[in-house]
Each structure stands twice: as structure tokens, then as C-alpha cells.
Amino acid sequence: MRTAVPILLCELCDAPHRLRVLPVGAVARCRRCGHRLYAHRRGTIAQAAALTLAAVPLFAAAHLLPFVRLEIGGREQGTTVLSAGFALWREGMWWLAALVLLLMFIAPLVRLLAALHLLVPLARGRRPRGAAATFRILERFRPWAMTDVYLMALVVAWAKLRDLAVLEPGPALPAFIATLVLLLLAEARLEPLAVWEQIAPQTRLAPGTLATFRPVACPHCRQVLPAEAEGRPCPRCGGRVYARKPDSLTTSLAWLLAALFAYVPANLLPVLTVVWFGRASADTILSGVVRLYASGLWPVATVIFLASIVIPIAKILVLAGLLFEARFGRPQHPHLLTRLYRAVDAVGRWSMIDVFVVGLLTALVSVGRLATVEPGPGITAFAATVVFTMFAAHHFDARLLWDRAGARHVHPVRRIAAAPGA
Ligand SMILES: [Zn+2]
Ligand SMILES: [Zn+2]
């Protein structure tokens, strides 16, 4: 009998692969769709744990110390990192305030605590209590932790205010940037499969038994399970197992339609009103971009144009196309569609820039009667559009494209491809 080998299914196209020991630093990609399967990193958990530990004091400093100080006409205004959220709260925009605080503070904090609870003991060879649940939380919050987007929004807010006021960075700003860099490095160093492997090893199958085994991949931890496991909790991570995301197309379509409805008021209503020495002017997303171009700030104008106009429209169109192909089409180029899906899923969060900019401007510019910035109703609708398209992308199942693609693209299920190093 031939020896059993550990098996992995591609998350995006379901093609089965044999897990091999790769050279250090090599990345294994799916033979069918090109999606990244796993990488070999030496000391992945220890390095990620060390980077996360180093980020803790900086994270505290970034959120407690003064962030930016602003001076207009001799009057000063100080802020902390969290001021953007609280300023929206004061303006009565609870929904938006809660969303901003969730994305720029709560989600990163939850990820930091989960990483500490899990990675530090694992790095020392010990398995902490609730390891599987903790790692699922860590992975689940990944797209919602938007510290990087928030920093970009700060650059935009800075550029907008440059000529109007004196801005002075506080000690929290370098701490905030350092936290972001350390946590991004920790994330880049961490190989999720190595963590799951420590919690419970990947299923091994003898070559040739795959067809009778009819494998299903756990959507949370990628454990390979027999078809009967569908609908039951995964033995490794406890999450519910399904071969395809349940009601993927209808749920995704519902969120997409909701996004489309929210996108109309998002563009027609003002996103912010600036009162400057008694004169008030309101801007929509588009007029804001035009104003930025007119004042010569074209790099910032381009960033906002891409993030607030191009990305949401492209995302809505691409998702609509993918939903059509997955429901009615016979995709000729499923590789290309899968790649498009990966792209819209990855860039969607950057549309949040404008929401953070409005929050930051509201927090920074409230200098009595001299100057204030008030958020407009359009920004709430815009934030809803971004969140709804993120939900729509999350619920879409790219494997349905391969299911529809037909025989030409069917993977030889009896043969398990060895994932090539790239
Ligand atoms: Zn694939
Ligand atoms: Zn699982």
C-alpha cells in the first residue's frame, strides 16, 4: 500500500493538492487557479509572537497619547487617535461612529489580544485554552482591522488642512505607525496552516483514495474531511463545515442590491460641510474631488477619486458579472474571473478612506466659531455602500465559477497535484 500524504484543497477552486515540505521562503500556488496555498517560513509562529509582543506597548501609547494638534487663528485643538470616532458620536451619527471605532480600534485590538493569547504559548510549544476558536477570531477579523486605511486617511486629512491650519504631530503618531508596521510584519510572517497544524495535523490520504473519500474542505481551518462531514462541526476548529458557502448567490446578490441602493444617496447628498470663518460650504464625494483637483492637490484628489468612485463602481460591476456567470454562465476563463474576484475582495476595504477622512476632519476642525467641519448624511450612505459590498464579496463563493465552467476545467480528481513551489 502506498503511504498516505497530507492533503489540501484550494480555497477558490477546490482542486486537491498534496502538502509538500517546501524550501524556506517558497510559496505553493494552486495548479488550477494560481491562488496562494501556503508558504514555508522558518520559525513562523515564534517570529509572529515576538512581533506581536513588541507591538503591545506601542499600541497602548498610540491610543492614549496626543495624536495631532491643530492651530487655527491662534486657537488650538488637540486630538487622540480615537477622536475621529468620538467626534462622529458627538455629531449624533451613532451608526457611523460605532463603525469607525470598530474598524480602526476594536477589530485591531481584538486581533492583537487573540494573537497574544494564541501565539505566545504556541511559540513555547504549549497549546492555550480555546486555541482553535481564538485563531478563527483572529482570521475572521482580518479584513475589518483597518489601521492601514486609517493612516492613509490621516495623510489625506493632513494634505487638505495643510494650507488652512498649523498641524503638529503628537507622540502617538510615530507609535501608531510603528504599531502598524509591526502588526503587518507579524501578519506577513504568520503562516495560518502552520498554526492549524499545531492544533491538529492535516488529514492524510493514500493516493488513489481521493475519489471514494470525496473530500470537503473546512471553510475555517481548511482541514480536509469526508463528504459526510458537511453541515457538522469541524473536528479541528469547531466551525460548521460546508462544501460551498450556503445560499452564496442569493445572499451575495441581496448585499449587492443593498449596496447599489445606498450608493445613490451616497453620491447625491453632501458628505461634509465646512464652516470657515462664518462661511459654510457643503461637498458631495464628487464635488470634493473636483475641489481637491482645483486647489492643486492632485495626488490626494487621485487617491480619493480611486478609493471613493472607481473602486466602489468597479466592485459593484465585477460582483454583478461574477454572480451572473456563477448562476447562468458557462465561464470560458474561470482563472481570470477568480483573479478578478480576488482583486475586488482585496481592494474593497480601501474605499473606507473617505469615511475616516470625514471623521478625522470633524475631530480636528472644531475651533469654536472660527472653523468647524460637520459630517453630512452622504457619508453614512457611503460607509453603508462599502460595508455592503464587502459583505457581498465575502458571501460569494468562487468555486461556483469552476462548478459552472464544465468538463474542460474539471480537475483530475483521482490525481493529487503536488503543489509546486514558486
Ligand atoms: Zn485553485
Ligand atoms: Zn475546521
Side-chain angles (χ1 to χ4, degrees):
M1 200 186 126
R2 280 175 294 177
T3 44
V5 290
I7 300 296
L8 186 71
L9 304 188
C10 172
E11 283 170 289
L12 293 184
C13 77
D14 236 10
H17 291 81
R18 175 157 57 91
L19 265 170
R20 292 190 314 172
V21 179
L22 302 172
V24 175
V27 177
R29 295 194 175 276
C30 172
R31 276 189 190 274
R32 181 150 73 157
C33 75
H35 179 54
R36 181 192 184 283
L37 294 173
Y38 58 93
H40 180 42
R41 306 207 188 289
R42 209 199 297 269
T44 162
I45 295 174
Q47 283 183 20
L51 287 163
T52 310
L53 266 178
V56 173
L58 291 165
F59 186 90
H63 289 85
L64 296 173
L65 297 176
F67 191 47
V68 181
R69 212 172 51 82
L70 172 134
E71 194 194 310
I72 297 173
R75 295 182 63 172
E76 281 184 17
Q77 172 77 26
T79 55
T80 65
V81 170
L82 298 174
S83 297
F86 293 133
L88 292 170
W89 194 278
R90 270 198 309 276
E91 294 287 331
M93 305 185 107
W94 331 114
W95 189 91
L96 199 63
L99 180 72
V100 167
L101 285 173
L102 172 77
L103 301 178
M104 49 77 56
F105 176 59
I106 297 169
L109 178 68
V110 167
R111 292 201 77 218
L112 184 72
L113 294 176
L116 283 177
H117 174 72
L118 179 71
L119 299 179
V120 177
L122 273 189
R124 298 157 82 187
R126 212 164 47 76
R127 215 173 84 187
R129 230 176 347 146
T134 311
F135 196 45
R136 269 177 53 202
I137 291 172
L138 188 66
E139 292 284 89
R140 176 63 63 88
F141 273 81
R142 184 203 298 261
W144 300 100
M146 298 196 186
T147 317
D148 44 358
V149 182
Y150 191 73
L151 190 65
M152 190 69 182
L154 183 69
V155 174
V156 172
W158 202 290
K160 278 191 170 196
L161 291 172
R162 201 185 45 169
D163 295 338
L164 309 172
V166 181
L167 282 160
E168 240 175 58
L173 185 60
F176 187 77
I177 296 171
T179 313
L180 174 65
V181 171
L182 285 175
L183 292 180
L184 284 178
L185 279 175
E187 195 179 308
R189 294 307 303 171
L190 189 66
E191 175 50 48
L193 215 53
V195 176
W196 288 120
E197 191 75 25
Q198 281 227 8
I199 292 170
Q202 193 76 10
T203 302
R204 302 174 86 87
L205 282 179
T209 56
L210 201 60
T212 48
F213 191 79
R214 291 188 298 128
V216 183
C218 169
H220 316 283
C221 73
R222 299 159 80 195
Q223 178 64 295
V224 174
L225 301 161
E228 300 80 63
E230 177 139 22
R232 301 210 189 119
C234 165
R236 176 156 77 178
C237 73
R240 200 161 71 87
V241 177
Y242 39 78
R244 298 289 178 269
K245 293 177 185 174
D247 304 318
S248 163
L249 296 182
T250 38
T251 318
S252 187
L253 179 67
W255 284 119
L256 191 65
L257 289 176
L260 206 57
F261 282 124
Y263 196 56
V264 177
N267 279 283
L268 296 180
L269 297 174
V271 288
L272 85 171
T273 305
V274 181
V275 182
W276 199 259
F277 292 96
R279 273 184 42 218
S281 61
D283 266 325
T284 61
I285 289 176
L286 194 62
S287 72
V289 172
V290 172
R291 192 188 290 271
L292 280 172
Y293 270 116
S295 58
L297 290 168
W298 60 266
V300 177
T302 309
V303 168
I304 297 291
F305 179 70
L306 287 175
S308 302
I309 295 171
V310 176
I311 293 178
I313 293 177
K315 198 166 175 182
I316 288 172
L317 290 178
V318 168
L319 281 172
L322 289 174
L323 283 170
F324 180 84
E325 282 291 328
R327 177 70 183 82
F328 304 105
R330 217 164 225 327
Q332 291 298 306
H333 305 286
H335 314 80
L336 193 67
L337 296 178
T338 308
R339 214 164 281 172
L340 264 177
Y341 169 65
R342 262 158 60 192
V344 293
D345 197 29
V347 299
R349 54 205 289 283
W350 285 95
S351 295
M352 270 296 169
I353 284 183
D354 228 7
V355 178
F356 289 151
V357 169
V358 171
L360 277 164
L361 290 178
T362 310
L364 280 167
V365 189
S366 60
V367 191
R369 281 197 211 146
L370 286 182
T372 51
V373 169
E374 281 164 22
I379 199 67
T380 309
F382 182 72
T385 309
V386 180
V387 171
F388 294 166
T389 52
M390 282 180 73
F391 282 149
H394 175 75
H395 283 281
F396 181 75
D397 195 330
R399 289 167 296 189
L400 297 174
L401 294 167
W402 294 89
D403 294 345
R404 296 279 316 173
R408 232 157 42 85
H409 294 283
V410 169
H411 195 77
V413 80
R414 278 161 207 287
R415 267 205 8 251
I416 309 164

